[in-house]
Amino acid sequence: MNIIPFPDRTEWPALLARPVQSTQQIDAIVGPIMNQVRTGGDAALIELTQRFDKVTLTADTLAVSPVVLDAAEAQLSDELKAAIRQAYQNIRTFHEAQRQPVEKIETMPGVTCWRRSVGIDKVGLYIPGGTAPLFSTVLMLGVPAQLAGCREVVLCTPATHPAVYFAAKLVGITKVFQIGGAQAIAAMTYGTESVPKVYKLFGPGNQYVTAAKMLAAKEGTAIDMPAGPSEVAVYADDTAVPAFVAADLLSQAEHGPDSQVLLVSTSRKLVELVNLTLSTQLGKLPREAVASKALDNSKAILLDTPADAIDLLNDYAAEHLILSVADAEQVAEQIINAGSIFLGNYTPESAGDYASGTNHTLPTNGFARAYSGVSLDSFVKKITVQHITPEGLQVLGPVVEAMAEAESLDAHKRAVSLRLASLAEMNPA
Amino acid sequence: MNIIPFPDRTEWPALLARPVQSTQQIDAIVGPIMNQVRTGGDAALIELTQRFDKVTLTADTLAVSPVVLDAAEAQLSDELKAAIRQAYQNIRTFHEAQRQPVEKIETMPGVTCWRRSVGIDKVGLYIPGGTAPLFSTVLMLGVPAQLAGCREVVLCTPATHPAVYFAAKLVGITKVFQIGGAQAIAAMTYGTESVPKVYKLFGPGNQYVTAAKMLAAKEGTAIDMPAGPSEVAVYADDTAVPAFVAADLLSQAEHGPDSQVLLVSTSRKLVELVNLTLSTQLGKLPREAVASKALDNSKAILLDTPADAIDLLNDYAAEHLILSVADAEQVAEQIINAGSIFLGNYTPESAGDYASGTNHTLPTNGFARAYSGVSLDSFVKKITVQHITPEGLQVLGPVVEAMAEAESLDAHKRAVSLRLASLAEMNPA
């Protein structure tokens, strides 16, 4: 990777800039696909799946049959099934702890307010096809949906790998459709004869899927978060193990040629050692070509002080941030922008990608400045509820009256005054 | 209001449909304004403010001076200041309870995961001008921003009412800019010489402001939620007080001619009594013309059973839902789609609009199916953190290896294998 020694702060924005993605061309392709599904329903899905995926479906085979879903388990090795079950359990444990009990708050005597968490009634999950069957993402989205109590969970995926179906069963998903691309997003956005319309869409995908989700969002269907190429930043000092750092950088680089990989250090020695071991490890990877291309665009940035490093990392707002430094937990406390943080030499990103329990659907492209990763919160709405007693309204009412009057909202004021007058009549002082 | 007696369920979707808003025309106006501010900075803001608001500003007067902010307090009555302070305190109490302490979860021995809530570093609040100076919204957005510890809170508002400035001071906002409309949203989205660029935008506004926020969202700046006309649904039975119900409906109707007002009941008597008192109360309102127009479009729907009423309310997903029924709290438990719920005869919506403590920035237009109202969560990101000990990796590692291999992500697997091999070397069995 390219070593950038001690750049001036004025150079940081250019160094940390993500590749600009032009969406106009993609939108021009995706818009008509969305429309076709909205007006054509199942027939459009069948036609588009034939055209783009070269897969022949019928109205009866859009949905994956329960027989096929049930048969998946027998096709997997016991080792893989045990691993998936363990990951499921860890993800469940971590997300279960995110449940918020109802807490009634009496803000003034007789004025009680609380929040109820309610699962979003209908959610749609998208899992891409391609070379890597992302059954891990089925767990990452399906577990919180299950915990949230979402009544209808729809899964669209062109992937037919039994591990995807096995994971779907594990999280209680019964509606799986063998459709992919923008047409799958359109199906869940508008609903078709077979595919239910949902209120919120989740999941990764290529640029067409991403564009379809953004269009859906503009029309009022909620989405998990805007997407971008996956990325990792590693901050390492001389206590880091160069081979581990190189392996972590490569595990990001193998995702795709557009993966963003950043190494930050105050130690030139560490950076040079990482660079050496990178080339050795790269040669052993099946996805060498992909990873090599991603590394060509990657940067190792040398900085003068740890304080500079923390500032730069906060400016970058990495999706994944690995802190392979002596005082990792203290450094983590100073990080204000990141999706997920991995501490120390024995916490590789892969652990969080699959099985430690944290969610791997995280904000990329600098969105970590304002967005959180997917969590139980992503699958619930919090409805506020309040109850005021007559005594409570006698205390709070005059406050509301004064404010409504100052905002010139007379009917707002009268809704209180009328009640106070009625109470005064019932209980004359 | 129009009484719709016992409609068939097949008629519900049409009855509950919100007016469709065509955004294309608005986007065509707002897009160029956004571009002008992006390229022209302060000069563009000054030109646009002159053109649209007929207000002459200079680079020195874009920001409201500290002297003006400080002088606001002296211009308000003691009664109003006390009311604003009480509302501030109640909102603070309710939102403070939403803080989530860090809880470290050991998902497996040696595998520890947690979440840190971190305030979004830079947020922008928009408060519209117009006849009603919405200082209450300054509190509703400013209090959670203050509690979240957002470092930079920017307020743009064309309103110059001292109560707006007083509320801004109360929540600790020091950067107030006297700009409004789409140009204000553009300023906070791109940043200008004077106005800081922010990561997330909050606040209500007219259709131009809304369109500008949607464009900002498409370009990667987060927004609180998509907006639509304000709305209330009241579910009332014979225990409701018709005059109170009428007053609540009117307090929604006075917001604007496009306000959505819905009354749901199983009692024809109640509906007729409410209709009677509506006309009496309407005549006493300064905003009679506005409210009357909103009522023309409003509906009172009669249903056969409470179960039907609950289904219909869940289909509608009201921003505000008032339950003026005998068993209000039990009914509330069955509501799965609503922004905020008000229980019983002495809990008017106005209370939550101003001062009970709950937030009044809520999902309209059916968005309550997937979105929550603004809360402390809206101003923080939750960063996940994990730490794995060597012993932990020895337990978790094989799980990750099996899953990565099945997903054909070899480098992900090797990032674990390398570490496990190194541990085996250090501690040969």
Side-chain angles (χ1 to χ4, degrees):
Chain A
M1 57 201 314
N2 310 305
I3 301 180
I4 321 273
F6 312 105
D8 191 79
R9 275 184 187 242
T10 56
E11 296 170 46
W12 289 10
L15 283 173
L16 302 179
R18 273 78 168 183
V20 177
Q21 299 164 313
S22 162
T23 60
Q24 222 159 3
Q25 258 189 314
I26 306 279
D27 284 355
I29 297 168
V30 167
I33 295 175
M34 299 281 283
N35 277 334
Q36 189 180 338
V37 173
R38 182 172 48 194
T39 55
D42 282 354
L45 288 179
I46 291 166
E47 196 270 309
L48 291 162
T49 302
Q50 183 71 56
R51 194 194 319 168
F52 295 122
D53 300 341
K54 316 293 176 215
V55 172
T56 306
L57 296 174
T58 66
D60 293 335
T61 57
L62 278 175
V64 180
S65 82
V67 178
V68 172
L69 294 179
D70 287 344
E73 185 170 347
Q75 298 168 53
L76 302 177
S77 73
D78 287 343
E79 187 203 6
L80 181 56
K81 277 185 286 194
I84 293 176
R85 285 200 180 97
Q86 183 64 58
Y88 170 82
Q89 198 48 59
N90 291 356
I91 297 165
R92 210 179 147 94
T93 301
F94 186 61
H95 288 74
E96 178 72 46
Q98 294 164 14
R99 237 185 245 289
Q100 284 182 279
V102 171
E103 193 189 350
K104 294 194 175 183
I105 308 290
E106 200 171 18
T107 54
M108 289 178 95
V111 180
T112 310
C113 307
W114 63 97
R115 296 201 298 172
R116 269 179 64 216
S117 291
V118 181
I120 297 174
D121 203 38
K122 302 178 187 189
V123 297
L125 317 184
Y126 182 76
I127 303 294
T131 48
L134 300 179
F135 56 84
S136 59
T137 308
V138 178
L139 299 181
M140 293 294 175
L141 301 177
V143 168
Q146 189 177 37
L147 290 173
C150 299
R151 197 175 48 84
E152 184 147 87
V153 184
V154 177
L155 173 63
C156 285
T157 180
T160 55
H161 195 286
V164 170
Y165 294 159
F166 176 69
K169 266 206 85 173
L170 215 50
V171 298
I173 297 174
T174 55
K175 294 195 176 171
V176 181
F177 297 91
Q178 200 197 324
I179 47 175
Q183 58 270 27
I185 301 300
M188 295 190 282
T189 302
Y190 305 119
T192 70
E193 299 89 326
S194 299
V195 184
K197 171 186 167 65
V198 303
Y199 301 144
K200 190 169 184 178
L201 294 163
F202 293 84
N206 62 20
Q207 50 192 350
Y208 299 98
V209 169
T210 300
K213 280 173 68 185
M214 294 308 282
L215 283 177
K218 197 164 182 297
E219 292 179 15
T221 303
I223 63 169
D224 47 1
M225 68 188 81
S230 190
E231 46 189 44
V232 72
V234 180
Y235 173 34
D237 64 14
D238 287 321
T239 69
V241 182
F244 297 177
V245 174
D248 291 339
L249 296 173
L250 285 172
S251 74
Q252 189 60 45
E254 77 171 339
H255 273 302
D258 58 354
S259 284
Q260 302 291 304
V261 175
L262 192 68
L263 173 61
V264 175
S265 185
T266 55
S267 160
R268 187 183 283 268
K269 185 179 142 212
L270 182 275
V271 168
E272 283 168 357
L273 287 170
V274 169
N275 243 350
L276 269 180
T277 175
L278 263 178
S279 18
T280 325
Q281 290 189 30
L282 187 60
K284 296 180 189 155
L285 286 182
R287 288 180 177 237
E288 181 184 352
V290 166
S292 167
K293 208 163 166 198
L295 282 186
D296 284 347
N297 301 318
S298 69
K299 299 175 189 102
I301 302 180
L302 276 168
L303 294 168
D304 284 314
T305 67
D308 287 338
I310 289 163
D311 284 352
L312 182 128
L313 293 168
N314 279 329
D315 280 2
Y316 184 62
E319 179 191 11
H320 305 98
L321 174 59
I322 300 176
L323 298 177
S324 291
V325 288
D327 47 352
E329 193 161 348
Q330 287 69 38
V331 171
E333 292 289 323
Q334 299 170 66
I335 296 297
I336 58 168
N337 294 324
S340 195
I341 302 177
F342 301 78
L343 304 180
N345 283 326
Y346 293 94
T347 315
E349 188 203 308
S350 317
D353 287 343
Y354 286 110
S356 62
T358 59
N359 210 289
H360 79 195
T361 305
L362 295 165
T364 60
N365 203 27
F367 292 126
R369 296 184 194 109
Y371 289 88
S372 311
V374 161
S375 70
L376 184 60
D377 300 338
S378 313
F379 290 87
V380 302
K381 304 150 310 181
K382 287 170 187 157
I383 303 177
T384 48
V385 190
Q386 60 201 283
H387 178 255
I388 305 177
T389 63
E391 297 71 29
L393 194 65
Q394 278 162 333
V395 184
L396 183 68
V399 172
V400 175
E401 290 179 306
M403 291 176 75
E405 185 178 323
E407 284 195 358
S408 313
L409 290 172
D410 201 63
H412 281 65
K413 181 183 176 185
R414 295 173 69 90
V416 172
S417 310
L418 214 75
R419 285 169 166 95
L420 292 181
S422 157
L423 287 173
E425 259 177 49
M426 285 192 281
N427 307 295
Chain B
M1 57 201 314
N2 308 307
I3 300 179
I4 321 272
F6 312 105
D8 191 77
R9 274 185 188 241
T10 56
E11 296 170 47
W12 288 10
L15 282 174
L16 302 179
R18 272 79 168 183
V20 177
Q21 299 164 313
S22 163
T23 59
Q24 223 159 2
Q25 257 187 314
I26 306 281
D27 283 355
I29 297 168
V30 167
I33 294 175
M34 298 281 283
N35 277 333
Q36 188 180 339
V37 174
R38 183 172 49 195
T39 55
D42 282 355
L45 288 179
I46 291 165
E47 196 270 309
L48 290 162
T49 303
Q50 183 72 54
R51 194 194 320 166
F52 294 123
D53 300 341
K54 317 291 174 217
V55 172
T56 306
L57 296 174
T58 67
D60 293 335
T61 56
L62 278 174
V64 180
S65 81
V67 178
V68 172
L69 293 179
D70 288 343
E73 185 170 348
Q75 297 168 55
L76 301 177
S77 72
D78 286 343
E79 185 203 8
L80 180 57
K81 277 186 286 193
I84 292 176
R85 285 200 181 96
Q86 183 65 58
Y88 170 83
Q89 197 49 60
N90 291 356
I91 297 165
R92 210 179 148 95
T93 301
F94 186 62
H95 288 73
E96 178 72 46
Q98 295 165 13
R99 237 184 245 289
Q100 284 183 279
V102 172
E103 192 188 350
K104 294 194 174 182
I105 308 291
E106 201 172 15
T107 56
M108 289 179 95
V111 180
T112 310
C113 309
W114 63 97
R115 297 200 297 174
R116 270 179 64 216
S117 291
V118 181
I120 298 173
D121 203 38
K122 302 177 188 192
V123 298
L125 317 183
Y126 182 75
I127 303 293
T131 47
L134 300 180
F135 56 84
S136 59
T137 307
V138 178
L139 299 180
M140 293 293 176
L141 301 176
V143 168
Q146 187 177 38
L147 290 173
C150 299
R151 197 176 48 83
E152 185 146 87
V153 184
V154 177
L155 173 63
C156 284
T157 180
T160 54
H161 195 285
V164 170
Y165 294 159
F166 176 68
K169 266 206 87 173
L170 214 50
V171 298
I173 298 174
T174 54
K175 294 194 176 172
V176 181
F177 296 92
Q178 200 196 325
I179 48 175
Q183 59 271 28
I185 300 299
M188 295 189 281
T189 302
Y190 305 119
T192 70
E193 299 90 327
S194 300
V195 184
K197 172 185 165 65
V198 303
Y199 301 144
K200 190 168 184 179
L201 294 163
F202 293 84
N206 61 21
Q207 51 192 348
Y208 299 98
V209 168
T210 299
K213 280 173 69 184
M214 294 308 282
L215 284 177
K218 197 163 182 297
E219 293 178 16
T221 303
I223 63 168
D224 46 1
M225 67 188 82
S230 190
E231 44 189 46
V232 72
V234 179
Y235 173 35
D237 64 13
D238 286 321
T239 69
V241 181
F244 297 176
V245 173
D248 291 339
L249 296 173
L250 285 172
S251 73
Q252 189 59 46
E254 78 172 337
H255 272 304
D258 58 353
S259 284
Q260 301 292 303
V261 174
L262 192 69
L263 173 61
V264 176
S265 184
T266 55
S267 161
R268 186 184 283 270
K269 185 179 142 212
L270 182 275
V271 168
E272 283 168 356
L273 287 171
V274 169
N275 243 351
L276 270 179
T277 174
L278 263 179
S279 19
T280 325
Q281 290 189 30
L282 187 61
K284 295 180 190 156
L285 285 181
R287 287 180 176 238
E288 181 184 354
V290 167
S292 167
K293 207 161 166 199
L295 282 186
D296 285 346
N297 301 318
S298 70
K299 300 175 188 100
I301 302 181
L302 276 168
L303 294 168
D304 283 315
T305 67
D308 287 339
I310 288 163
D311 284 352
L312 182 129
L313 293 168
N314 280 328
D315 281 2
Y316 184 62
E319 180 191 11
H320 304 97
L321 174 59
I322 300 176
L323 299 176
S324 290
V325 289
D327 47 353
E329 194 161 345
Q330 287 71 37
V331 171
E333 291 290 321
Q334 300 171 65
I335 296 298
I336 58 169
N337 295 323
S340 194
I341 302 177
F342 301 78
L343 304 179
N345 284 325
Y346 294 93
T347 314
E349 188 203 307
S350 317
D353 287 343
Y354 285 109
S356 63
T358 60
N359 210 290
H360 78 194
T361 304
L362 295 165
T364 60
N365 204 27
F367 292 127
R369 297 183 193 108
Y371 289 87
S372 311
V374 162
S375 70
L376 185 59
D377 300 339
S378 314
F379 290 87
V380 301
K381 305 150 312 183
K382 286 169 188 159
I383 302 177
T384 49
V385 189
Q386 59 200 284
H387 179 255
I388 305 177
T389 63
E391 298 70 30
L393 194 65
Q394 279 162 332
V395 185
L396 183 69
V399 172
V400 176
E401 289 179 305
M403 292 176 75
E405 187 179 321
E407 284 195 357
S408 312
L409 290 172
D410 202 63
H412 282 64
K413 182 184 174 185
R414 295 173 70 88
V416 172
S417 310
L418 214 75
R419 285 170 165 95
L420 292 181
S422 157
L423 288 173
E425 259 177 50
M426 285 192 281
N427 306 297

